[in-house]
Amino acid sequence: VGSIARPSWQGAVREIGPDHALVGTNVPYAAAHQFGATIHREASPTTVRLRKWKGRIEFAKAKHKRVRVVDTIRKAHTVTIPARPFIGVSPKDIEDMLGTITRHLQEALKP
């Protein structure tokens, strides 16, 4: 399991230089979160396990004993995942960086 928040940063920071840091992640679904995605699923055969519970029919877990197994066709459908960027520099980040640089320059230029 990897992410940008790993304590060791192994797999997150790809390259560090005097004026840059290249950051990424090894999580396979990261691009869908960063940029958004549209996933098209074709119709396909599937088997579902159903049980009756309190007068309702619901999906049954493997541990449930009295189930009805039904072969069915899963309908074709599309899922749209909106972009939720987690890598990048926001206007607030730039403001914070400029503040830090300004403070360091003011300290360095003090008589």
Side-chain angles (χ1 to χ4, degrees):
V1 174
S3 72
I4 204 140
R6 287 176 79 161
S8 69
W9 285 76
Q10 179 182 1
V13 176
R14 304 285 189 225
E15 180 181 307
I16 299 174
D19 60 350
H20 70 281
L22 179 62
V23 179
T25 179
N26 57 359
V27 177
Y29 50 83
H33 284 276
Q34 182 73 17
F35 304 112
T38 301
I39 301 167
H40 303 284
R41 296 288 308 256
E42 298 297 325
S44 62
T46 188
T47 301
V48 293
R49 295 168 42 90
L50 303 173
R51 72 177 188 145
K52 196 169 189 178
W53 177 252
K54 294 185 179 179
R56 299 184 319 232
I57 303 285
E58 60 182 33
F59 291 108
K61 295 180 181 178
K63 69 179 183 178
H64 294 128
K65 303 296 181 211
R66 295 189 325 210
V67 299
R68 184 175 58 160
V69 178
V70 178
D71 291 325
T72 186
I73 301 290
R74 181 180 294 137
K75 293 181 181 178
H77 62 281
T78 300
V79 176
T80 302
I81 300 171
R84 294 174 289 200
F86 64 98
I87 298 175
V89 180
S90 71
K92 174 76 169 100
D93 295 332
I94 292 171
E95 183 181 318
D96 291 347
M97 287 186 271
L98 289 174
T100 300
I101 292 167
T102 301
R103 281 194 312 279
H104 283 286
L105 287 174
Q106 288 171 343
E107 287 293 320
L109 295 175
K110 278 187 180 176

